[in-house]
């Protein structure tokens, strides 16, 4: 007698959409596969067989890419964007997190206003110009292409509040985090230790099996080393701010303004990815192999 299997509907959305009824067991396998730490955020080689009624031939579904990026709506909420210029920046960062390209066009941004049910700007060029004058968006050498300036690269984590002037024109210049307006380290920030690292007795730039941190010359290498070290000390994934803090403790701070772009290049190489829900950075097995292969 055949077992009776209660079907479960699975829906995968993104650049490619898929919806089908499968068994609960298969759904659990797919969820486990998506949530595990893999060599890259997207894996296209693996497939899961889906059981269908006997009258239909077996079907196969590819393991689709699961991007670490926030959705456009989540990007607006996380950044606290209020003006059209701020929304343009939040949407541009959302696009950049997908990892496909470092620049954006107006045509990339306009559909996101509709998708998030936000009122589209009546004068898009004017609002874009506001973002450019504020130093948030930079024009490239290619006509109608732009990229996000480093000063707002962490807006999806820290929000726009610190960038706004008292009059709300978005041109306030804020001191780097951890610094006072006179350039001196903030006592409060200097003493702060991220919660995840409070139980670690000693943070040293030396680990067994990999090159010493101070021997590295490239920022991408130091980035991977920092995330790998965190994992060795029991912190499996780290936020942007924790990367900044930990690399500083190791002896060479990775600036917050370069975190996003450096992560994107390492993500493309398959060395790092982000957790699905917290969007924290973690190292992949490929990243560990890359680090261990660096000359000691």
């Amino acid at each position: 007698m055949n077992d009776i299997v209660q079907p479960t509907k699975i829906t995968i959305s993104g650049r490619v959409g898929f919806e089908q009824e499968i068994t609960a067991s298969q759904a659990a396998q797919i969820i486990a596969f998506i949530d595990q730490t893999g060599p890259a955020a997207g894996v296209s080689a693996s497939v899961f067989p889906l059981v269908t009624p006997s009258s239909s031939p077996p079907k196969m579904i590819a393991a689709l890419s699961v991007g670490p990026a926030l959705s456009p709506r989540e990007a607006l909420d996380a950044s606290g964007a209020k003006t059209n210029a701020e929304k343009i920046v939040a949407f541009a960062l959302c696009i950049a997190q997908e990892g496909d390209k470092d620049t954006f066009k107006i045509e990339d941004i306009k559909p996101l206003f509709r998708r998030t049910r936000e009122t589209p700007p009546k004068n898009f060029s004017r609002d874009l110009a506001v973002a450019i004058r504020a130093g948030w968006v930079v024009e490239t050498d290619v006509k109608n292409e732009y990229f996000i300036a480093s000063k707002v690269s962490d807006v999806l984590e820290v929000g726009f509040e610190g960038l706004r002037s008292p009059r709300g024109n978005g041109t306030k210049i804020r001191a780097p985090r951890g610094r006072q307006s006179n350039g001196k380290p903030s006592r409060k920030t200097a003493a702060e230790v991220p919660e995840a690292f409070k139980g670690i007795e000693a943070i040293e730039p030396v680990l067994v099996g990999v090159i010493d941190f101070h021997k590295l010359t490239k920022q991408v290498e130091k980035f991977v080393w920092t995330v790998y070290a965190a994992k060795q000390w029991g912190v499996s994934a780290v936020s942007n701010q924790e990367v900044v803090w930990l690399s500083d403790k190791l002896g060479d701070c990775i600036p917050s303004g370069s975190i996003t772009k450096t992560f994107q290049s390492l993500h493309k190489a398959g060395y790092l990815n982000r957790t699905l829900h917290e969007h924290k950075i973690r190292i992949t097995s490929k990243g560990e192999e890359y680090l261990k292969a660096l000359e000691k």
Side-chain angles (χ1 to χ4, degrees), residues 130-138 148-152 170:
V130 171
I132 293 173
R133 286 196 299 271
W136 300 346
V137 172
V138 181
I148 294 298
S150 60
K151 67 188 291 185
V152 290

Side-chain angles (χ1 to χ4, degrees), residues 1 17 63 89 97 122 141 186-187 264 274:
M1 181 175 64
V89 170
Q97 279 193 346
K122 293 182 179 178
D141 294 333
S186 164
R187 289 184 179 180
Q264 286 173 357
R274 286 187 184 271

Side-chain angles (χ1 to χ4, degrees), residues 78-82 86 134 136 151-152 154-177 179 181:
S79 66
K82 296 179 180 179
E86 291 175 355
W136 300 346
K151 67 188 291 185
V152 290
D154 58 353
V155 155
L156 297 187
E157 296 206 5
V158 302
F160 277 103
E161 194 61 40
L163 289 167
R164 297 185 183 115
S165 71
R167 293 184 179 182
N169 61 11
T171 57
K172 178 180 178 182
I173 299 177
R174 65 176 178 180
R177 283 177 294 169
R179 297 273 173 181
S181 58

Side-chain angles (χ1 to χ4, degrees), residues 31-236:
I31 292 171
F33 176 84
I34 291 174
D35 200 42
Q36 72 181 354
T37 301
V43 180
S44 60
S46 300
V47 292
F48 294 98
L50 302 186
V51 176
T52 58
S54 57
S55 59
S56 304
K59 296 182 180 180
M60 305 292 280
I61 173 176
L64 302 178
S65 172
V66 181
L70 297 176
S71 70
R73 181 74 260 170
E74 290 171 332
L76 289 183
D77 294 341
S79 66
K82 296 179 180 179
T83 67
N84 285 333
E86 291 175 355
K87 292 173 184 178
I88 288 171
V89 170
F91 286 146
L93 285 170
C94 181
I95 292 171
Q97 279 193 346
E98 294 179 358
D100 287 343
K101 55 183 180 178
D102 298 326
T103 63
F104 69 93
K105 297 181 179 180
I106 290 178
E107 290 72 21
D108 299 325
I109 302 295
K110 286 182 177 179
L112 301 187
F113 279 89
R114 294 193 295 271
R115 283 175 55 186
T116 54
R117 300 296 189 270
E118 293 287 328
T119 303
K122 293 182 179 178
N123 191 329
F124 203 103
S125 297
R126 178 195 62 200
D127 294 323
L128 180 62
V130 171
I132 293 173
R133 286 196 299 271
W136 300 346
V137 172
V138 181
E139 296 179 87
T140 71
D141 294 333
V142 180
K143 186 178 180 180
N144 297 327
E145 282 199 5
Y146 311 87
F147 67 87
I148 294 298
S150 60
K151 67 188 291 185
V152 290
S153 63
D154 58 353
V155 155
L156 297 187
E157 296 206 5
V158 302
F160 277 103
E161 194 61 40
L163 289 167
R164 297 185 183 115
S165 71
R167 293 184 179 182
N169 61 11
T171 57
K172 178 180 178 182
I173 299 177
R174 65 176 178 180
R177 283 177 294 169
R179 297 273 173 181
Q180 301 176 21
S181 58
N182 59 7
K184 295 181 179 180
S186 164
R187 289 184 179 180
K188 180 179 179 182
T189 303
E192 284 181 352
V193 177
E195 190 66 32
F197 292 92
K198 286 185 177 178
I200 301 173
E201 295 182 1
I203 293 177
E204 301 291 342
V206 178
L207 288 173
V208 176
V210 297
I211 187 173
D212 295 347
F213 181 83
H214 61 80
K215 292 182 180 179
L216 300 172
T217 58
K218 298 178 181 179
Q219 185 166 280
V220 290
E221 297 172 345
K222 293 176 181 179
F223 200 122
V224 176
W225 203 102
T226 300
V227 181
Y228 175 77
K231 182 179 179 180
Q232 299 307 301
W233 293 325
V235 184
S236 60

Side-chain angles (χ1 to χ4, degrees), residues 194 197 203-205 213-214 216 218-230 233 238-256 258-259:
F197 292 92
I203 293 177
E204 301 291 342
F213 181 83
H214 61 80
L216 300 172
K218 298 178 181 179
Q219 185 166 280
V220 290
E221 297 172 345
K222 293 176 181 179
F223 200 122
V224 176
W225 203 102
T226 300
V227 181
Y228 175 77
W233 293 325
V238 288
S239 66
N240 287 13
Q241 293 94 332
E242 287 169 343
V243 171
V244 174
W245 179 88
L246 182 54
S247 60
D248 184 48
K249 292 290 289 183
L250 291 170
D252 190 4
C253 179
I254 298 173
S256 61
S258 66
I259 292 290

Side-chain angles (χ1 to χ4, degrees), residues 256-275:
S256 61
S258 66
I259 292 290
T260 298
K261 194 168 186 66
T262 306
F263 168 78
Q264 286 173 357
S265 66
L266 291 167
H267 177 257
K268 287 179 181 178
Y271 298 153
L272 300 177
N273 61 29
R274 286 187 184 271
T275 58

